[in-house]
Amino acid sequence: MTLIDKTYDPQTIEQHWYQTWEDKHFFAPSGHGQAYCIMLPPPNVTGSLHMGHGFGFTLIDVLIRYQRMCGRNTLWQAGTDHAGIATQMVVERKLNLEGKTRHDLGRESFVEKIWQWKEESGGNISRQLRRLGASIDWSRERFTLDEGLSHAVREVFIRLYDEGLIYRGKRLVNWDPVLLTAISDLEVTNEEEEGKLWHLRYPLAHDQEKYLIVATTRPETLLGDVAVAVHPDDERYQHLIGQQVLLPYNSSKF
């Protein structure tokens, strides 16, 4: 007679059975029905999984297990994302602690550092997914920096460029002065701070003893001013409509 422990010990039980399922390839595509595949939205290798990952992956696991039990040829494709700039920042911070930069290493050595970080962080993510019990076919695990995937990205990019669907244009971008690259809005941390309202005097061109006051929180834009607009129905500015003013710093008219 085998006695059951009074308390459930997930550490030993879940890890043992998950390893058994993986060794027996229970999560590999099987069945003879219609194919069914879900790509795991690849987590970034910049850290660990969070509650959002746990929630989303659980829903996917429910779908995968249901379709597998229905006899469909089911695959849950695993993978992790190199996350581009985000991963580069993590690796560069580690280099900075050693008093080095990516320029000291050169391109090839820096890419090797990224791969080392992937093995460290990506391995942690894989362990977390296993602890969640995700029924993933780990034999097909991929990384978005793998040679095959990188080649596919370059191929598609070049095709889109040749078809005129990708082009270089002038746009306002978020510029990282350290990494010297543009970054997306998702990679920008917005912070509120106390500003100041500046009142700039623009002398009138026909009578520089008089002036128009413009209030702004961005006085540096003065250097690019080309026009001043007033409300046409505001009585305070009726006498200024059609007039010209001078830039305070060089007396240019506009």
Side-chain angles (χ1 to χ4, degrees):
M1 180 177 179
T2 302
L3 296 178
I4 300 177
D5 293 337
K6 292 183 179 180
T7 57
Y8 177 65
D9 182 12
Q11 182 73 23
T12 57
I13 297 175
E14 293 179 1
Q15 287 189 338
H16 164 74
W17 283 110
Y18 192 94
Q19 188 62 51
T20 300
W21 299 336
E22 190 174 343
D23 293 341
K24 293 182 179 295
H25 308 290
F26 285 166
F27 302 145
S30 59
H32 304 286
Q34 185 179 2
Y36 184 88
C37 177
I38 294 181
M39 297 289 296
L40 174 79
N44 296 342
V45 292
T46 51
S48 303
L49 299 183
H50 51 66
M51 290 298 294
H53 288 121
F55 174 73
F57 295 163
T58 298
L59 297 180
I60 295 176
D61 202 15
V62 170
L63 295 172
I64 286 292
R65 290 175 182 270
Y66 173 76
Q67 297 296 338
R68 187 182 290 125
M69 288 189 295
C70 288
R72 300 185 69 175
N73 193 19
T74 306
L75 169 65
W76 190 0
Q77 172 75 57
T80 49
D81 186 9
H82 68 280
I85 297 171
T87 299
Q88 178 178 330
M89 290 176 61
V90 172
V91 176
E92 286 209 57
R93 289 195 189 105
K94 293 171 69 70
L95 287 176
N96 291 339
L97 295 176
E98 303 173 5
K100 299 179 182 178
T101 68
R102 70 178 188 275
H103 303 292
D104 297 326
L105 270 65
R107 181 182 179 84
E108 292 185 2
S109 297
F110 184 67
V111 171
E112 289 180 6
K113 288 288 186 181
I114 291 178
W115 275 100
Q116 291 174 10
W117 168 252
K118 181 265 177 183
E119 294 302 322
E120 177 182 338
S121 180
N124 180 52
I125 290 174
S126 297
R127 287 189 294 272
Q128 287 181 303
L129 283 167
R130 286 177 167 89
R131 290 298 305 275
L132 286 173
S135 57
I136 292 173
D137 182 9
W138 291 104
S139 67
R140 288 176 166 82
E141 184 179 7
R142 301 300 299 273
F143 178 52
T144 53
L145 206 59
D146 289 345
E147 180 55 35
L149 299 182
S150 296
H151 175 77
V153 170
R154 293 193 297 269
E155 173 70 20
V156 171
F157 188 92
I158 293 172
R159 287 187 184 182
L160 292 175
Y161 177 80
D162 292 339
E163 295 173 7
L165 299 175
I166 291 180
Y167 58 92
R168 175 176 290 178
K170 292 184 177 180
R171 298 287 188 277
L172 288 174
V173 298
N174 303 306
W175 182 256
D176 189 319
V178 177
L179 298 177
L180 302 180
T181 184
I183 57 179
S184 74
D185 291 341
L186 296 176
E187 294 166 315
V188 174
T189 301
N190 295 305
E191 296 181 356
E192 291 189 8
E193 58 181 40
E194 291 291 333
K196 183 177 180 180
L197 193 62
W198 301 81
H199 294 79
L200 305 178
R201 293 184 178 184
Y202 290 78
L204 301 184
H206 70 280
D207 185 358
Q208 296 185 28
E209 294 298 322
K210 299 180 180 179
Y211 48 81
L212 173 66
I213 296 179
V214 176
T216 178
T217 59
R218 298 287 301 279
E220 68 274 13
T221 60
L222 167 73
L223 304 176
D225 286 347
V226 295
V228 174
V230 298
H231 195 292
D233 298 330
D234 194 321
E235 296 180 356
R236 295 174 297 173
Y237 306 118
Q238 292 299 308
H239 67 289
L240 296 176
I241 296 178
Q243 301 293 326
Q244 288 184 312
V245 295
L246 304 176
L247 279 179
Y249 71 97
N250 68 356
S251 299
S252 297
K253 294 181 180 180
F254 65 95

